[in-house]
Amino acid sequence: MSADVELDCRDLPCPRPIIELAKALPGVPVGGLLAVVARDPAARYDVPAWCRMRGQEYVGEEAADDGAPRYVVKRLS
Amino acid sequence: MSRTTEVYLDSASSARLHPAARDTLLAALERGYADPRRLHGPGRDARLLLDNARAVVAECLGVRPDEVGFTSSGTEGVHRGLLGLTTATGRDGIVHGAVEHSSVLHVVQWRDSPAHASIPVDADGVVDVDALAAAARAAGVGAVALQAANQEVGTLQPVDALDLPAGVPLLVDAAAAVGHVDLPRRWDALTASAHKWGGPAGVGVLVVRRGTRWTNPFPGDDGLDQVGGFPDVPAALAAAAALQAVLCEREEVAARQFAQVERVRSAAAALPDVEVVGHPVQRLPHLVTFSVLYAGGDEIVAALAREGYGVASGSACTASTLEPSHVLAAMGALTHGNVRVSLSRDTTDEEVDGFCAALARVVGEIRAGAGL
């Protein structure tokens, strides 16, 4: 699925992908989608946990074109 | 860089030797060198010390001396205990909680079986015991493993509420719990580790109740007397002395630690975007874990060390595998920025308050450094 904002954090170790998510969120319209591509295995758990802690919606995980995990978040507030 | 004055807040990894263990160890090193199977004087001395160690550990755990075996570690106790149960039942399948110690998970990976099942936990880390009991009824299940308390988040498991079918034995890994809380009563085999309660490292305990079918899964006979080969008699006796001493002071120490941990929990939860992990009440008295959003576990551990506090972390960047903690992952908790604090028996209120203040400084500095 396409997102309003796309972050490439392929080669960043956690917590950097989560930090980038937090920085990018204000640029996403409420109700819009924010996607982050991250290879770090911690992102699989930390993106949903960040959504829970920050009151955003975790939409799910997909694979990017090169197979890297891509996590999609919906801005709720 | 560590200071000599560093406050040690990692007793759950390995506790400082209890003074009672030190005295006993030094005395036993002089007397306990011989082979306890020999009939000469030094052999009989070693036998006396070993039997004494077993008797004391048995009394402390509420079991019979001939039900107690000493292994070389808690991990070896789990390996021999679990594989010995499945070998005896002839069914390789192991049903276990998702947050068990890696020694349990390694057994499951090592002895492949389609009947293995990992049972999920709730957000506090409590294993669903009804699901565990249901899974234990499946064909091919030879044993169940459930910890007494979780080693990373301190949550106590409702072991005595577990209603297992007849013929499926339960191994309780009590390594995190022994010396800190009352132990579960309904189990067939139990394991523990002396260096977690203030005994020396290199002494594990495997208890197998009489009437439980258990077969040594590794070369050797089926007795528990010298289960892993020639025993370290002085260390076993020192471990027993430490356990006895720890249980004598437990009520007072545990009450103090429970309140101290409550202060750490409150201080951590009061920081922005810090989540305290684990059950708030049904927990070990001395251990607390929390995760700090936007901070690396290695960064926090290093920064706290510079402030003079030694703590552990379950974050991937601090693990040899570079995988995040399976415990935090199973709970749906944040895996980065994780800190585990475990108090020693003599940790003071001043040290706890000093740690809380240092934590607030460190978290603020790391967040500012990340541009947040």
Side-chain angles (χ1 to χ4, degrees):
Chain A
M1 78 190 81
S2 67
D4 297 274
V5 175
E6 191 80 30
L7 300 172
D8 180 358
C9 298
R10 271 181 182 75
D11 300 316
L12 296 182
C14 259
R16 287 290 305 284
I18 309 302
I19 293 172
E20 297 308 317
L21 266 184
K23 287 180 174 171
L25 189 73
V28 180
V30 173
L33 297 181
L34 169 59
V36 58
V37 178
R39 287 204 191 93
D40 189 302
R44 178 157 294 124
Y45 310 105
D46 288 355
V47 174
W50 176 81
C51 289
R52 177 174 53 71
M53 290 172 73
R54 300 301 304 166
Q56 310 302 328
E57 182 184 331
Y58 178 62
V59 178
E61 177 183 340
E62 301 178 331
D65 291 343
D66 63 349
R70 178 174 179 267
Y71 306 96
V72 181
V73 170
K74 184 176 183 181
R75 181 173 177 188
L76 297 182
S77 60
Chain B
M1 190 173 61
S2 73
R3 310 177 188 179
T4 51
T5 55
E6 188 176 88
V7 177
Y8 185 63
L9 298 176
D10 193 19
S11 68
S13 292
S14 194
R16 203 162 16 212
L17 199 64
H18 194 284
R22 179 182 304 278
D23 296 343
T24 304
L25 184 61
L26 291 175
L29 282 170
E30 295 296 323
R31 276 186 66 197
Y33 57 89
D35 187 336
R37 290 168 303 190
R38 301 290 175 243
L39 299 178
H40 43 59
R44 285 198 298 269
D45 254 5
R47 167 52 62 190
L48 196 69
L49 299 188
L50 183 60
D51 285 350
N52 191 6
R54 287 179 89 180
V56 168
V57 169
E59 194 189 352
C60 288
L61 300 178
V63 301
R64 300 162 46 111
D66 62 356
E67 295 173 323
V68 174
F70 292 113
T71 58
S72 63
S73 66
T75 291
E76 196 206 355
V78 167
H79 292 174
R80 285 183 182 274
L82 257 185
L83 288 167
L85 293 175
T86 56
T87 302
T89 56
R91 302 185 302 271
D92 285 339
I94 295 170
V95 175
H96 60 92
V99 297
E100 297 299 313
H101 186 260
S102 57
S103 56
V104 170
L105 306 186
H106 288 158
V107 168
V108 169
Q109 288 158 15
W110 191 68
R111 180 69 59 85
D112 198 31
S113 165
H116 289 327
S118 175
I119 306 303
V121 296
D122 66 14
D124 286 330
V126 180
V127 175
D128 181 343
V129 287
D130 293 334
L132 193 68
R137 288 166 207 280
V141 174
V144 170
L146 181 60
Q147 59 192 194
N150 185 267
Q151 64 284 353
E152 283 185 46
V153 302
T155 298
L156 305 182
Q157 301 296 350
V159 176
D160 285 334
L162 183 59
D163 187 18
L164 288 178
V168 179
L170 171 66
L171 180 135
V172 169
D173 165 17
V178 168
H180 299 288
V181 290
D182 287 335
L183 296 181
R185 291 182 302 276
R186 296 175 64 185
W187 46 264
D188 303 288
L190 179 136
T191 57
S193 174
H195 75 111
K196 307 277 189 191
W197 73 59
V203 180
V205 172
L206 169 61
V207 185
V208 181
R209 287 218 207 264
R210 271 167 70 99
T212 298
R213 291 172 63 211
W214 178 84
T215 306
N216 188 351
F218 302 142
D221 65 33
D222 286 339
L224 286 170
D225 183 42
Q226 296 195 14
V227 69
F230 193 92
D232 187 340
V233 173
L237 191 68
L243 183 55
Q244 201 168 38
V246 161
L247 291 183
C248 278
E249 65 194 18
R250 193 192 91 185
E251 207 171 319
E252 181 258 322
V253 170
R256 171 160 36 86
Q257 290 178 332
F258 197 93
Q260 289 173 331
V261 159
E262 205 55 55
R263 290 153 83 134
V264 178
R265 290 180 70 96
S266 302
L271 299 173
D273 294 318
V274 174
E275 187 170 59
V276 180
V277 186
H279 201 285
V281 182
Q282 296 300 317
R283 61 167 172 85
L284 293 173
H286 67 302
L287 189 156
V288 51
T289 293
F290 50 86
S291 291
V292 179
L293 197 55
Y294 312 130
D298 53 351
E299 273 181 291
I300 308 184
V301 168
L304 286 170
R306 284 193 295 275
E307 295 267 355
Y309 298 92
V311 298
S313 169
S315 293
C317 49
T318 65
S320 55
T321 57
L322 293 179
E323 286 292 324
S325 147
H326 70 278
V327 173
L328 299 173
M331 295 169 66
L334 194 69
T335 74
H336 73 245
N338 182 257
V339 174
R340 183 186 70 181
V341 176
S342 49
L343 309 180
S344 300
R345 53 188 277 280
D346 54 0
T347 301
T348 65
D349 288 348
E350 290 70 30
E351 288 168 338
V352 169
D353 290 343
F355 171 79
C356 292
L359 178 68
R361 280 195 298 276
V362 159
V363 169
E365 284 163 14
I366 291 174
R367 292 252 177 84
L372 288 162

